[in-house]
């Protein structure tokens, strides 16, 4: 598998769209973020925090991760937080409700981590005006562009 992107029609054109996203959007809701340091979601989020991103954990089984309050669902995050990127660490079959939530809260980008893709959910998000990344690690993409 390799990174796939779905770009909405209104999205500003650039030679490196991923670079633009990583530069312009700094508030990331991490769906499926675990407080277990051995989980990929923890390491990726810790890295993003160190790179000056604001992490908002979304996991009904956590109260706080990496010093940030965790929320059960995207809809539970206060509107004042202005979620820009929704980074998803969930199985592919669990993506559609997360995409529905991301659309509902006005996110700009859906980012499905490595090994995760859902064509129907990606098409729906793109049709709603969200930029979609499938099957790519946000940490790796950030490091490549530093």
């Amino acid at each position: 598998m390799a990174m796939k992107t779905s770009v909405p029609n209104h999205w500003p054109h650039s030679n490196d769209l991923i670079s633009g996203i990583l530069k312009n959007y700094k508030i990331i809701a991490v769906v499926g973020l675990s407080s277990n340091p051995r989980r990929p979601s923890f390491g990726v989020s810790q890295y993003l925090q160190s790179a000056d991103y604001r992490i908002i954990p979304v996991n009904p089984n956590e109260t706080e991760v990496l010093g940030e309050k965790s929320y059960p669902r995207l809809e539970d995050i206060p509107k004042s937080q202005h979620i820009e990127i929704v980074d998803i660490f969930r199985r592919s079959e669990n993506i559609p409700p997360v995409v529905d939530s991301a659309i509902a809260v006005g996110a700009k980008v859906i980012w499905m981590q490595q090994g995760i893709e859902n064509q129907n959910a990606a098409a729906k998000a793109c049709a709603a005006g969200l930029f979609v990344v499938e099957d790519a690690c946000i940490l790796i993409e950030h490091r490549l562009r530093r």
Side-chain angles (χ1 to χ4, degrees), residues 83-120:
I83 302 162
E84 294 171 322
I85 300 174
V86 176
D87 188 16
I88 309 173
F89 285 88
R90 300 288 316 273
R91 286 196 199 94
S92 297
E93 63 268 21
N94 297 327
I95 299 296
V98 178
V99 164
D100 291 342
S101 296
I103 293 167
V105 301
K108 307 280 185 255
V109 179
I110 292 281
W111 194 299
M112 300 180 214
Q113 283 292 135
Q114 243 166 347
I116 305 169
E117 48 184 72
N118 187 309
Q119 209 177 345
N120 293 343

Side-chain angles (χ1 to χ4, degrees), residues 3 12 27-28 32 46 62-63 73-74 79 85 87 108:
M3 179 178 10
I27 303 171
I28 306 176
Q46 198 172 38
E62 301 283 2
T63 50
R73 305 169 314 142
L74 288 170
K79 296 272 177 270
I85 300 174
D87 188 16
K108 307 280 185 255

Side-chain angles (χ1 to χ4, degrees), residues 1-144:
M1 291 202 278
M3 179 178 10
K4 282 197 277 196
T5 56
S6 306
V7 186
N9 295 333
H10 72 277
W11 205 266
H13 180 75
S14 87
N15 292 332
D16 187 353
L17 293 166
I18 300 295
S19 190
I21 286 168
L22 294 172
K23 199 168 25 230
N24 297 317
Y25 297 133
K26 296 292 182 185
I27 303 171
I28 306 176
V30 184
V31 177
L33 175 50
S34 167
S35 60
N36 179 345
R38 289 193 292 280
R39 304 290 300 172
S41 63
F42 185 90
V44 168
S45 297
Q46 198 172 38
Y47 169 84
L48 291 169
Q49 273 187 332
S50 74
D52 293 327
Y53 289 90
R54 166 81 204 286
I55 295 300
I56 305 171
V58 179
N59 185 334
N61 306 315
E62 301 283 2
T63 50
E64 188 180 285
V65 185
L66 292 165
E68 294 284 352
K69 178 177 169 36
S70 182
Y71 296 90
R73 305 169 314 142
L74 288 170
E75 289 89 342
D76 299 319
I77 299 169
K79 296 272 177 270
S80 60
Q81 308 267 9
H82 300 296
I83 302 162
E84 294 171 322
I85 300 174
V86 176
D87 188 16
I88 309 173
F89 285 88
R90 300 288 316 273
R91 286 196 199 94
S92 297
E93 63 268 21
N94 297 327
I95 299 296
V98 178
V99 164
D100 291 342
S101 296
I103 293 167
V105 301
K108 307 280 185 255
V109 179
I110 292 281
W111 194 299
M112 300 180 214
Q113 283 292 135
Q114 243 166 347
I116 305 169
E117 48 184 72
N118 187 309
Q119 209 177 345
N120 293 343
K124 183 174 187 177
C126 189
L130 282 74
F131 188 99
V132 182
V133 178
E134 294 178 86
D135 189 26
C137 176
I138 196 167
L139 179 157
I140 292 169
E141 297 305 319
H142 184 269
R143 276 201 180 135
L144 286 172

